[in-house]
Amino acid sequence: MSQDLTTTAESIAQTIAAFVSKRVGADVPADKDLFESGLVSSLFAMELVVHLEQAFSVQILGDDLKRDNFRSVQAMTALVLRLNGAE
């Protein structure tokens, strides 16, 4: 993985983690299952979609709206990277 991609992945993860942490009022490990832990409701899941679209200039449509893509900070980071073509 190149340094630019690593930096990008890290900055994406940090941005997502900051948003989630602020919203739930606690630090959230990157691999924590947000749904299983009860930190994310269906309404907050929609807020996550809107946040990712606005913060990273991506469109999340169809199959990308699966819960698994929003289960953790890591999963959302991978989604954003994939949608930006930086797999």
Side-chain angles (χ1 to χ4, degrees), residues 5-74:
L5 185 55
T6 301
T7 302
T8 301
E10 288 174 5
S11 66
I12 290 169
Q14 288 172 355
T15 300
I16 295 169
F19 177 79
V20 172
S21 294
K22 181 177 179 183
R23 179 66 169 68
V24 301
D27 286 339
V28 178
D31 61 346
K32 184 175 188 84
D33 187 321
L34 300 173
F35 292 100
E36 190 171 298
S37 65
L39 292 173
V40 173
S41 65
S42 57
L43 179 60
F44 183 46
M46 293 311 301
E47 289 179 44
L48 285 170
V49 171
V50 172
H51 174 72
L52 295 180
E53 289 182 331
Q54 291 177 347
F56 302 107
S57 299
V58 295
Q59 287 189 337
I60 303 171
L61 305 168
D63 286 344
D64 289 327
L65 290 168
K66 293 185 290 192
R67 179 181 280 199
D68 284 344
N69 287 329
F70 301 90
R71 193 164 293 284
S72 67
V73 171
Q74 286 177 337

Side-chain angles (χ1 to χ4, degrees), residues 70-84:
F70 301 90
R71 193 164 293 284
S72 67
V73 171
Q74 286 177 337
M76 289 182 274
T77 300
L79 174 64
V80 170
L81 287 171
R82 184 173 54 77
L83 292 174
N84 279 331

